[in-house]
Amino acid sequence: MAHFLFFAIIFILVADFGMERYLALLNIKHSKKSLPEILKDIYDTDKYAKQQDYFRTNARFGMLTSTFSFIVTLLMYALGGFGRVDQLVQGYVQNPILTPLVFFGVIFLANDIIGIPFDIYDTFVIEQKFGFNKVTPKIYIFDKLKGYLLTVIIGGGLLALIIWIYTLTPDYFWLLAWAVITVFSLFMTMFYSEIIVPLFNKQTPLPEGELRSEIEKFALSTGFNLTNIFVIDGSKRSTKANAYFSGLGAKKRIVLYDTLMDTMSNEEIVAVLAHEIGHYKHKHTKFNFLISIPSTLVLFFVFGLILKSDAMAQALGGTTASFHLNALAFSILYSPISLILDISTNVLSRKFEYQADAFAAKNGYAEQLKSGLKKLSATTLSNLMPHPLFVFFHYSHPTLFQRISKLTDSQV
Ligand SMILES: [Zn+2]
């Protein structure tokens, strides 16, 4: 059995890497196609050359990083590396809760440190070269430290709680762990903007002025409370602009990047805001949260079964079932299922984006949303011609071409 599981793990790793690389290649090929008429006014010749350069630079870099990480991961699984880390940790700590915590801590830290050079190259060389980067070495270091601190406190705390539950009751572990994760994610959905975001960014209520009064007019007409609209200092890290909707109930908020104000006209910002209010009106956050509940339940049910198997630990070079080795084996064996879940989530998310766009269009902002989306694409040098299969697997939003076509249809 351990042999079979071992080969299944290796097969899944290789198949996933092969599939992702194939999709990336399709995407690169497709990006060279000539633009459809409705997208031709987004870039001038120079800017389009720059976009193609940016896209290809990122594609090459993605190929390099994913190949590197694939090789390291494959070697760790194929040569029983995790079993060895386990023995090493066992030599120092032998406690049913502490051993898995230290084990995951070591794996997390090693993985993170290996990734740092790639991350630095991406931020300070690629993003810098194309004029996006605003991150200073100081911000980079503080972000990293704050990230570690959060991982230790939140990740470590949650993990300790879940392992503790497992040591108490292996049979009902799945149900209790599911309840803990569900309550935790509800809490995070509600308070993420108030607890986590302020550690990295400043959020301020939309300041008085022309933009605010235009937004006021629109928000009032749709019944959305203005006190829930915030501006975030995204310009601290990048020139790229964005806007998003988060939270539930009284904790709902729309967050606009300050960089949006430099890029767009007031009317276009209101159109983007109308799109975000569309998400709120259609209760998309609530829906996403609700459908995550049964899928987490299935995940923990399967996880609970797998935790008891000695063969799982042996497939990774261990001897008997242990929380951490079995969890690692599970993370790979479950990945085909989570791939299917991810694809379904993306299909649904793209549907939601169309609904939010339609809400903006219904309120008379189709034209402004079109020009706003075009400007967003232009300033982020985004790829206008992704391959349909790549979109199917990875895009949470419809392509710009699809959104503009749909908005144009809604106008006639
Ligand atoms: Zn949206």
Side-chain angles (χ1 to χ4, degrees):
M1 187 63 180
H3 255 82
F4 170 76
L5 289 172
F6 174 79
F7 285 112
I9 287 171
I10 301 296
F11 174 78
I12 291 171
L13 283 172
V14 174
D16 175 67
F17 178 72
M19 189 194 78
E20 286 305 331
R21 286 303 95 209
Y22 175 67
L23 285 176
L25 282 177
L26 281 183
N27 211 29
I28 293 170
K29 252 196 202 149
H30 204 261
S31 72
K32 293 171 191 159
K33 292 205 165 181
S34 60
L35 293 175
E37 208 49 51
I38 55 169
L39 299 182
K40 280 196 169 139
D41 58 343
I42 295 180
Y43 296 115
D44 58 35
T45 319
D46 280 357
K47 193 109 194 241
Y48 195 57
K50 191 178 171 192
Q51 186 278 327
Q52 290 282 308
D53 187 16
Y54 182 60
F55 177 71
R56 254 169 265 298
T57 305
N58 272 318
R60 271 195 301 268
F61 186 65
M63 186 73 86
L64 180 82
T65 50
S66 60
T67 307
F68 178 78
S69 114
F70 167 68
I71 292 172
V72 173
T73 313
L74 190 68
L75 286 177
M76 281 300 280
Y77 278 100
L79 302 177
F82 292 113
R84 256 170 244 191
V85 176
D86 178 39
Q87 282 160 15
L88 198 77
V89 173
Q90 300 262 18
Y92 295 95
V93 262
Q94 283 181 329
N95 173 293
I97 296 174
L98 272 182
T99 309
L101 277 182
V102 175
F103 176 86
F104 283 120
V106 170
I107 303 285
F108 166 78
L109 201 65
N111 182 51
D112 192 79
I113 289 171
I114 292 173
I116 287 178
F118 295 102
D119 193 30
I120 288 181
Y121 186 83
D122 182 36
T123 307
F124 295 102
V125 179
I126 298 180
E127 294 293 294
Q128 188 77 32
K129 179 184 162 196
F130 289 92
F132 292 129
N133 181 44
K134 290 283 205 64
V135 175
T136 59
K138 189 180 153 192
I139 294 179
Y140 185 84
I141 292 168
F142 274 98
D143 279 358
K144 210 74 215 132
L145 294 177
K146 283 183 255 182
Y148 285 151
L149 202 67
L150 279 179
T151 308
V152 170
I153 296 172
I154 298 180
L158 209 55
L159 191 61
L161 183 60
I162 285 183
I163 301 168
W164 180 64
I165 294 173
Y166 184 67
T167 58
L168 284 184
T169 164
D171 287 339
Y172 292 101
F173 159 79
W174 60 281
L175 200 59
L176 289 171
W178 165 77
V180 166
I181 292 296
T182 302
V183 170
F184 174 76
S185 61
L186 178 64
F187 177 80
M188 270 301 160
T189 310
M190 303 277 288
F191 295 100
Y192 182 79
S193 290
E194 275 165 273
I195 300 174
I196 308 292
V197 178
L199 296 173
F200 297 93
N201 284 91
K202 231 188 239 123
Q203 297 172 104
T204 40
L206 194 64
E208 293 292 336
E210 213 177 296
L211 176 63
R212 190 187 163 102
S213 41
E214 273 188 47
I215 288 179
E216 217 153 50
K217 249 190 297 172
F218 180 74
L220 271 179
S221 72
T222 61
F224 192 86
N225 196 338
L226 255 192
T227 52
N228 297 322
I229 303 173
F230 290 83
V231 179
I232 195 169
D233 60 343
S235 58
K236 191 176 158 187
R237 293 192 182 79
S238 173
T239 58
K240 289 178 179 173
N242 203 356
Y244 63 88
F245 177 80
S246 79
L248 283 172
K251 295 296 172 192
K252 63 179 179 287
R253 64 171 72 189
I254 289 174
V255 181
L256 304 170
Y257 278 48
D258 56 354
T259 38
L260 211 62
M261 277 77 172
D262 308 331
T263 324
M264 292 190 190
S265 72
N266 285 355
E267 283 216 301
E268 286 162 345
I269 294 175
V270 179
V272 169
L273 198 97
H275 168 99
E276 301 304 335
I277 293 180
H279 280 306
Y280 160 68
K281 286 279 174 190
H282 286 284
K283 303 186 166 50
H284 289 157
T285 315
K286 210 175 275 176
F287 198 82
N288 282 334
F289 179 72
L290 286 178
I291 54 167
S292 77
I293 294 177
S295 72
T296 325
L297 187 65
V298 173
L299 180 132
F300 275 105
F301 183 72
V302 183
F303 184 39
L305 294 178
I306 278 184
L307 276 176
K308 294 173 183 165
S309 150
D310 286 339
M312 287 285 170
Q314 286 155 6
L316 263 60
T319 46
T320 50
S322 69
F323 186 91
H324 45 289
L325 286 179
N326 287 41
L328 269 186
F330 170 75
S331 72
I332 303 295
L333 292 170
Y334 196 73
S335 64
I337 299 174
S338 63
L339 176 72
I340 294 169
L341 289 176
D342 286 349
I343 293 172
S344 329
T345 309
N346 279 337
V347 169
L348 191 69
S349 165
R350 292 194 294 264
K351 214 180 151 106
F352 287 171
E353 292 306 321
Y354 280 133
Q355 283 182 343
D357 280 353
F359 180 82
K362 200 180 76 191
N363 283 284
Y365 282 94
E367 205 51 47
Q368 295 87 333
L369 187 58
K370 273 155 67 177
S371 63
L373 288 174
K374 283 181 177 181
K375 279 189 188 170
L376 263 185
S377 287
T379 48
T380 51
L381 292 178
S382 71
N383 174 25
L384 301 182
M385 298 295 286
H387 192 280
L389 208 56
F390 192 90
V391 173
F392 177 74
F393 275 84
H394 292 305
Y395 270 46
S396 61
H397 287 57
T399 66
L400 184 65
F401 177 72
Q402 290 170 324
R403 292 178 77 178
I404 298 214
S405 306
K406 199 91 160 194
L407 283 166
T408 308
D409 290 346
S410 76
Q411 287 173 296
V412 287

